[in-house]
Amino acid sequence: MVWVLGVIVRYCVLLPLRLTLAVIGISLFVIGTTLVGQLPRNRLKNFLSEVVHLTCCRICVRALSGTIHYHNRQYRPQKGGICVANHTSPIDVLILTTDGCYTMVGQVHGGLMGIIQRSMVKACPHIWFERSEMKDRHLVIRRLKEHIALKEELPILIFPEGTCINNTSVMMFKKGSFEIGGTIHPVAIKYNPRFGDAFWNSSKYNIVSYLLRVMTSWAIVCDVWYMPPMTREEGEDAVQFANRVKSAIAVQGGLTELPWDGGLKRAKVKDTFKEEQQKNYSKMIVGNGSLKSELD
């Protein structure tokens, strides 16, 4: 009876209210950014853009019954820097933008997401790429370097894992984000699964099914830890820097650090990677066999 009552409350009471809030938030966001985008580029436009982004993102987080605990706010990402965070869900963006504005980086989409992207870029210099451009790594890095060279610009928000991970681990960070230069502001995000599972398994759920699951949960509860800024040390390459930042985020968020590429959950494992593991396994077997022979 308690379970049935809970279903009735979540689907018949909370869901309609949350859908209403979400529609209001998205509508105000599109209208607000479109209107602000008509103003000439100056301090007033930047101020109004931040107000619209913060207000509408907070409305959308309320639509998820979001309860967010921010820690170490003195380390919030600063303008001209790069914010990197572990990635669990598309709502990570809302969680972070509720407490500060960022320049988003991503691929151009169609449909409703495309409408939102086009309105956003009018009010704030977000960086959107066509699918063909995303494959050109050097072009992406050049665009990002041009942005951080302007110290008055908002910090860039990047999720170096490149895919959503299940809220228990931090997987391999792509090195591209760490080849740009500038100051890295690490952020650790950890959701409390007791009230609702925020992880988006895109191979199992489409975005509509995922949002329905999230909006019919009791709440989205998470902790966000801002961490001291980090820079690339002398003699340190991009991969080593990425691993150092990843380790710091894993420790702070209480997550397991794994060396694997999160994209392997969709892509076929490379033959070279298989061969490397087979060699390691054969060495282990041969080593154990030699040890056994010596004991005999």
Side-chain angles (χ1 to χ4, degrees):
M1 290 299 295
V2 173
W3 181 83
V4 171
L5 180 62
V7 171
I8 293 174
V9 171
R10 288 187 291 117
Y11 280 84
C12 299
V13 179
L14 294 180
L15 181 59
L17 292 174
R18 289 170 175 173
L19 286 174
T20 302
L21 276 177
V23 170
I24 292 173
I26 294 173
S27 300
L28 288 177
F29 187 76
V30 172
I31 295 171
T33 51
T34 301
L35 293 176
V36 172
Q38 307 306 312
L39 298 174
R41 186 72 184 275
N42 52 37
R43 289 186 178 181
L44 176 61
K45 180 178 181 178
N46 294 339
F47 172 75
L48 293 176
S49 175
E50 291 187 16
V51 170
V52 171
H53 278 75
L54 288 172
T55 302
C56 296
C57 286
R58 286 170 181 171
I59 293 174
C60 290
V61 168
R62 295 295 179 272
L64 303 174
S65 297
T67 302
I68 313 167
H69 305 283
Y70 296 99
H71 308 272
N72 307 324
R73 278 182 161 166
Q74 70 272 23
Y75 295 130
R76 282 191 295 185
Q78 302 298 312
K79 291 184 177 181
I82 302 171
C83 174
V84 299
N86 58 300
H87 198 24
T88 303
S89 159
I91 64 176
D92 292 342
V93 175
L94 288 178
I95 297 297
L96 294 176
T97 311
T98 298
D99 195 45
C101 290
Y102 299 87
T103 292
M104 309 295 174
V105 179
Q107 183 179 305
V108 174
H109 293 275
L112 177 60
M113 183 60 69
I115 295 174
I116 295 174
Q117 284 183 319
R118 288 192 292 273
S119 63
M120 288 173 66
V121 80
K122 291 178 182 177
C124 186
H126 298 289
I127 304 173
W128 307 129
F129 294 95
E130 297 291 345
R131 182 183 294 272
S132 58
E133 293 178 322
M134 287 297 290
K135 296 179 181 178
D136 189 343
R137 184 165 154 271
H138 297 291
L139 175 61
V140 174
I141 292 176
R142 180 172 61 81
R143 290 277 301 276
L144 297 178
K145 283 183 176 180
E146 291 173 355
H147 182 88
I148 65 171
L150 304 173
K151 297 303 181 183
E152 71 277 6
E153 296 288 2
L154 293 173
I156 298 174
L157 176 58
I158 298 177
F159 300 103
E161 289 167 302
T163 187
C164 295
I165 309 300
N166 66 358
N167 194 41
T168 63
S169 312
V170 181
M171 292 196 174
M172 185 182 76
F173 278 11
K174 305 293 193 299
K175 67 177 182 178
S177 309
F178 303 89
E179 293 177 326
I180 303 169
T183 303
I184 297 293
H185 299 271
V187 176
I189 305 173
K190 175 70 173 179
Y191 292 90
N192 188 335
R194 179 181 299 177
F195 303 96
D197 184 11
F199 169 54
W200 181 33
N201 186 351
S202 56
S203 60
K204 186 176 181 180
Y205 301 102
N206 59 36
I207 188 65
V208 176
S209 300
Y210 167 74
L211 290 176
L212 181 62
R213 289 179 65 248
V214 170
M215 298 186 79
T216 53
S217 62
W218 285 110
I220 296 297
V221 180
C222 77
D223 288 272
V224 176
W225 289 273
Y226 297 113
M227 300 166 63
M230 302 174 69
T231 55
R232 192 164 160 181
E233 296 178 350
E234 186 177 353
E236 187 177 45
D237 61 27
V239 174
Q240 293 170 332
F241 186 28
N243 288 334
R244 183 159 60 89
V245 174
K246 183 184 73 169
S247 298
I249 290 176
V251 170
Q252 180 65 80
L255 302 165
T256 303
E257 182 184 358
L258 298 174
W260 310 322
D261 184 351
L264 289 175
K265 66 182 182 181
R266 297 190 192 88
K268 181 181 178 182
V269 180
K270 294 181 180 179
D271 291 335
T272 53
F273 185 77
K274 289 182 180 179
E275 291 173 2
E276 183 181 351
Q277 296 304 312
Q278 288 169 350
K279 289 179 181 178
N280 292 336
Y281 184 69
S282 63
K283 288 178 182 177
M284 183 177 66
I285 296 298
V286 171
N288 290 339
S290 301
L291 179 61
K292 185 176 180 181
S293 298
E294 291 177 5
L295 293 175
D296 292 341

